[in-house]
Amino acid sequence: MYSSSPAAAPIVREPLHAPVAHLIRGGVVEGIHYGSVVVLGADGEVEFQLGDIEAAFYPRSAVKPVQAVAMLRAGLPLDGELLSLAAASHSGEERHLAGTRRILDLAGLTEDDLRNVPDLPYDPAVRDTWIREGRQPSRLAQNCSGKHAAMLWTARLNDWSLDDYLEPEHPLQQAIAEIVEDLSGQRIARTTVDGCGAPLFSLSLHGLARAVSRIVTAAPGTPEARVADAMREHAEMASGAGRDVAALMAAVPGLLAKDGFEGVEVAALPDGRAVAVKIADGANRARIPVTAAALARAGVDPGLLTGFAGEALLGGGREVGRVWPVRSLEPVSVSACA
């Protein structure tokens, strides 16, 4: 445990976001993405911040590594690719479905025991194939099914009830909330329901970065280290083929990264340097270039991040602009516009 008395919960307020990315078309700023960014040094201190890093927000699936740590602390005996899947927002590929079935089999359970919402696969190509084959939405295909299967097995191992495992008052969710506060170093501000049906805890962006920094710097063999190792070694099990978060982990040695809906990303290096990003409008086209720029601010070689530059803007089928991080975030100098 990191602290027996976490700091007070972040304030629930309208976040004071700032511009974090520009859409520059033909040398003119066509649009602006607002958001917030925090960069932590290896000592855990804030080295850079933009926008509002202390207001309460929902980290969405970016908190899944923390949830996985909580389940390991409660006795979940997973490692490797199945542990990575337990922390996944997966694409719905067959390996993800097979892995989720494997976790359920190990628990002596079936897909019928899952309580996440039925859905089609997250990856567009996988989803299109699924639809062409006439397959219907299922709980197994929903991108959080690995986490839910792991939650069920954790509950069974502890002789906790299964039908209500998603209720905030359930011992499983209480155990997860305790570890969320422990790793983030702050009390939970609010609890609501995530898209999959699981409880969702509100932290600050600063608290999210601190939690993942603590995961990557934990001693070998601890639940934190096991989660970090599993996700880094099996990045596509935690996401999917062609996903930007897996590509980012492959490009930067030792990086642990996790995305979340509504423009959230958190990433940490083995020495504890960490970044967290929230794009106010939830736009993915801003999330990745802003994250890459924040990692460059944290000291990552910009040469490793060239594949994560902003999305090209097309005109007449040719590139006429790009999504650029604002100048204070830029990993390299650009001349398009300021």
Side-chain angles (χ1 to χ4, degrees), residues 22-109:
H22 290 155
L23 283 66
I24 300 173
R25 183 184 296 269
V28 173
V29 176
E30 183 178 38
I32 301 173
H33 289 291
Y34 284 73
S36 296
V37 179
V38 61
V39 177
L40 302 184
D43 59 0
E45 295 299 313
V46 174
E47 291 194 340
F48 176 85
Q49 60 181 300
L50 185 62
D52 194 342
I53 70 169
E54 302 297 355
F57 91 118
Y58 289 117
R60 303 299 298 270
S61 287
V63 80
K64 282 178 177 173
V66 181
Q67 293 173 309
V69 169
M71 288 187 276
L72 291 188
R73 289 194 189 182
L76 182 67
L78 285 180
D79 282 295
E81 63 178 10
L82 292 184
L83 177 53
S84 184
L85 183 60
S89 301
H90 65 70
S91 291
E93 301 164 22
E94 286 303 322
R95 58 177 161 172
H96 300 130
L97 276 58
T100 301
R101 291 191 193 97
R102 178 62 178 153
I103 296 173
L104 290 169
D105 286 346
L106 290 168
L109 300 168

Side-chain angles (χ1 to χ4, degrees), residues 21-322:
H22 290 155
L23 283 66
I24 300 173
R25 183 184 296 269
V28 173
V29 176
E30 183 178 38
I32 301 173
H33 289 291
Y34 284 73
S36 296
V37 179
V38 61
V39 177
L40 302 184
D43 59 0
E45 295 299 313
V46 174
E47 291 194 340
F48 176 85
Q49 60 181 300
L50 185 62
D52 194 342
I53 70 169
E54 302 297 355
F57 91 118
Y58 289 117
R60 303 299 298 270
S61 287
V63 80
K64 282 178 177 173
V66 181
Q67 293 173 309
V69 169
M71 288 187 276
L72 291 188
R73 289 194 189 182
L76 182 67
L78 285 180
D79 282 295
E81 63 178 10
L82 292 184
L83 177 53
S84 184
L85 183 60
S89 301
H90 65 70
S91 291
E93 301 164 22
E94 286 303 322
R95 58 177 161 172
H96 300 130
L97 276 58
T100 301
R101 291 191 193 97
R102 178 62 178 153
I103 296 173
L104 290 169
D105 286 346
L106 290 168
L109 300 168
T110 71
E111 182 179 353
D112 291 337
D113 293 296
L114 295 171
R115 293 292 179 268
N116 57 318
V117 294
D119 202 356
L120 294 169
Y122 175 73
D123 182 87
V126 178
R127 185 189 314 126
D128 289 347
T129 300
W130 190 281
I131 293 170
R132 284 196 301 270
E133 294 173 348
R135 302 169 76 175
Q136 299 300 310
S138 77
R139 299 184 193 275
L140 207 63
Q142 197 269 337
N143 76 89
C144 301
S145 64
K147 177 184 77 174
H148 282 256
M151 285 181 169
L152 280 166
W153 194 9
T154 305
R156 167 150 283 189
L157 288 166
N158 286 277
D159 294 323
W160 295 330
S161 57
L162 301 183
D163 288 347
D164 60 343
Y165 76 94
L166 294 182
E167 294 301 320
E169 299 79 16
H170 191 279
L172 170 68
Q173 302 303 336
Q174 290 292 303
I176 291 173
E178 179 182 347
I179 304 310
V180 168
E181 293 188 336
D182 179 33
L183 291 176
S184 70
Q186 61 187 185
R187 297 293 183 191
I188 292 165
R190 296 279 176 87
T191 300
T192 187
V193 182
D194 209 341
C196 65
L200 177 61
F201 307 112
S202 182
L203 304 169
S204 70
L205 199 65
H206 186 180
L208 176 64
R210 183 165 47 232
V212 177
S213 175
R214 287 174 165 177
I215 288 174
V216 298
T217 56
T222 60
E224 293 91 331
R226 288 166 59 193
V227 169
D229 289 345
M231 293 182 69
R232 288 183 294 218
E233 292 169 12
H234 305 278
E236 290 193 350
M237 203 65 169
S239 53
R243 292 273 292 278
D244 53 47
V245 67
L248 189 62
M249 284 195 275
V252 181
L255 186 72
L256 174 65
K258 184 68 185 77
D259 54 348
F261 279 163
E262 297 302 324
V264 182
E265 183 99 10
V266 64
L269 294 153
D271 64 0
R273 286 174 290 159
V275 307
V277 169
K278 164 63 181 174
I279 306 300
D281 62 2
N284 270 333
R285 67 179 178 182
R287 173 180 55 84
I288 278 295
V290 170
T291 298
L295 286 169
R297 288 296 303 246
V300 173
D301 179 359
L304 300 175
L305 301 166
T306 55
F308 306 95
E311 177 181 321
L313 304 178
L314 302 181
R318 63 186 179 88
E319 182 176 336
V320 295
R322 189 166 287 272

